[in-house]
Amino acid sequence: MTAPARPHRDDVLIAVAGLLGGLVLWALGLDTRGGHGVDPHALLLLPLTAMSGAELLRRTMPNTALAIGCTAMLADQFTDGNVATIAMFTDLVYAAVLYGTPAAARRIPAVSMVATAAVTVTALVVFQDAQAVLLGLVFALVTVAPAWTGVSVRTHRDAAEAAQLRAEQTALLAEIDRTQAVTAERARMARELHDMVANHLSAIAIHSTAALSIDDPGTSRDALAVIRENSVEGLAEMRRLIGLLRDRGAGAEPAPAPRLTGVDALLDQARTNGASSGLEFTLTDTREDGSPLPAPVELAAYRIIQESLTNALKHASPGEITVSLDQDEQTLTVRVTSPYGERPGPRAPGSGAGLVGMRERVALLDGQFESGPVTNGDGATIWRVRAQLPVDEGNAKA
């Protein structure tokens, strides 16, 4: 069994103060009925002591304390009476509403009002005197007033607790939003870094492996030329990314985002990097000239093509890599195909982050993405990357 809760320190102080105050009034002979109670006069100390004991339970067991208080108050009516007993009873009514259950907080004020009306009507019938209304007023001061005071205080306390809870929930949601924003920004930075640098590093890895495995001065010179070109361009891309992360200051302009007008340059670079691997690159663009596209859509399409070409340089068998762009009123379709199968010569390892990044870019724009081996019309197996991007920027997810 659970041990009963110890009385609160303030409740002990109230009980002791009430008891001592009542004893002082009794010693001075100050009572409420002027000696009209039953003898002996000391009997009023019994309700006083019981009421003081009930005060010890006002916070831990408010309903029990009120029941004891009502019994002690009834017994006090047959004695000479003590003001301290009445004062402590009003406090028990107040505490029962404030610290009791919600049902008790609703029920006690209503019961006190009904009891006040009943006492007033009974006094009028018995005494046949309008001054009997004063008895009802006194009863109301003892029961109704503390009950509704408790209701008011409890309402303000509950409102304060609700406000604090809302503040804590708001702070928690803000922290969750901040964490999600940081996570999303890290993912975006990782995608940009991968897409900007992976192409150049893959070309460097392939051609450096070729230079080491093929003992031919001409091949080594060509490989070193490609390595130098890609390292210089990779460094430039890194500087642009670092510039985005730093505080530029001094009125520096941000680097422009890549657009689809740069796809030809991507293919030229891919032709240079893939010439030694027997790869050919072609572009089919069926879009109408000058058709406007939102910047996020063009950036996503550019990065998807860039990463697909990087994957083709690392994994594709000798043959033709095709890039096609098609657009209707609602969708831009990007398709990149490459030969699928074993390839001779050096190849760079892959981590799979490129496909994950492409899928994330398409998902952010609420588009559709698919990649994997398929069989074309000639029965040959090819690797196909296909992305459908809504051209309406309002479709993008926040």
Side-chain angles (χ1 to χ4, degrees):
M1 295 180 59
T2 304
R6 298 180 58 184
H8 193 274
R9 183 184 62 180
D10 294 342
D11 298 343
V12 175
L13 293 176
I14 293 173
V16 172
L19 179 61
L20 293 178
L23 290 174
V24 171
L25 293 174
W26 171 75
L28 295 176
L30 300 177
D31 53 60
T32 59
R33 294 184 181 82
H36 291 85
V38 296
D39 292 325
H41 181 67
L43 283 177
L44 64 84
L45 296 180
L46 294 178
L48 174 67
T49 304
M51 197 74 74
S52 178
E55 287 282 20
L56 297 175
L57 307 176
R58 64 189 295 274
R59 196 183 306 256
T60 57
M61 302 174 64
N63 292 337
T64 301
L66 181 59
I68 296 173
C70 290
T71 303
M73 192 65 183
L74 180 61
D76 187 67
Q77 304 307 306
F78 298 97
T79 69
D80 291 337
N82 193 298
V83 173
T85 303
I86 299 174
M88 286 189 287
F89 177 75
T90 61
D91 179 68
L92 291 178
V93 175
Y94 166 81
V97 175
L98 181 60
Y99 301 116
T101 62
R106 293 190 301 269
R107 184 169 56 248
I108 292 173
V111 171
S112 65
M113 295 176 66
V114 172
T116 299
V119 168
T120 304
V121 172
T122 302
L124 286 173
V125 172
V126 172
F127 297 109
Q128 299 292 318
D129 190 343
Q131 289 188 355
V133 176
L134 295 177
L135 178 61
L137 179 60
V138 172
F139 194 87
L141 291 175
V142 174
T143 57
V144 177
W148 283 102
T149 302
V151 169
S152 177
V153 175
R154 181 171 182 140
T155 300
H156 286 292
R157 185 193 65 180
D158 292 345
E161 292 177 351
Q164 181 180 1
L165 179 60
R166 286 195 298 269
E168 293 174 353
Q169 291 175 341
T170 301
L172 178 61
L173 292 175
E175 179 63 21
I176 293 175
D177 290 342
R178 188 194 68 81
T179 302
Q180 291 177 343
V182 170
T183 302
E185 183 63 15
R186 286 178 177 175
R188 187 189 69 82
M189 291 167 56
R191 285 195 303 269
E192 290 298 322
L193 180 61
H194 179 275
D195 293 344
M196 292 168 63
V197 180
N199 182 45
H200 302 297
L201 294 182
S202 297
I204 291 173
I206 291 172
H207 285 276
S208 61
T209 303
L212 292 172
S213 59
I214 301 175
D215 188 13
D216 179 72
T219 301
S220 298
R221 281 194 300 272
D222 293 340
L224 289 174
V226 174
I227 290 172
R228 182 186 184 280
E229 178 183 356
N230 280 277
S231 62
V232 170
E233 293 182 359
L235 286 173
E237 295 282 3
M238 285 291 293
R239 291 191 188 98
R240 280 196 289 271
L241 180 60
I242 293 173
L244 291 173
L245 300 178
R246 286 180 174 173
D247 182 12
R248 300 181 186 88
E253 293 294 330
R259 304 187 73 90
L260 288 177
T261 53
V263 171
D264 289 329
L266 274 181
L267 289 175
D268 291 339
Q269 184 183 61
R271 292 186 185 101
T272 301
N273 296 334
S276 61
S277 301
L279 301 177
E280 300 179 357
F281 299 84
T282 60
L283 171 64
T284 304
D285 190 352
T286 61
R287 298 177 302 145
E288 297 181 0
D289 294 337
S291 54
L293 287 175
V297 176
E298 290 217 22
L299 175 61
Y302 180 93
R303 293 302 190 196
I304 289 171
I305 295 172
Q306 183 183 46
E307 179 59 26
S308 298
L309 294 178
T310 299
N311 289 341
L313 287 173
K314 293 192 291 185
H315 306 296
S317 302
E320 183 180 24
I321 288 89
T322 62
V323 178
S324 63
L325 295 171
D326 186 27
Q327 180 183 346
D328 55 27
E329 294 182 357
Q330 297 180 342
T331 306
L332 170 67
T333 301
V334 179
R335 187 182 295 105
V336 182
T337 61
S338 57
Y340 182 73
E342 295 296 328
R343 60 174 287 177
R347 63 193 308 173
S351 63
L355 291 175
V356 173
M358 287 189 284
R359 192 177 302 277
E360 289 176 349
R361 288 185 183 277
V362 175
L364 287 173
L365 295 173
D366 202 17
Q368 297 181 357
F369 177 82
E370 58 183 24
S371 64
V374 296
T375 303
N376 61 12
D378 299 333
T381 301
I382 60 174
W383 183 273
R384 184 181 68 180
V385 173
R386 183 172 178 269
Q388 291 182 305
L389 305 174
V391 296
D392 181 9
E393 190 173 4
N395 291 337
K397 295 180 181 178

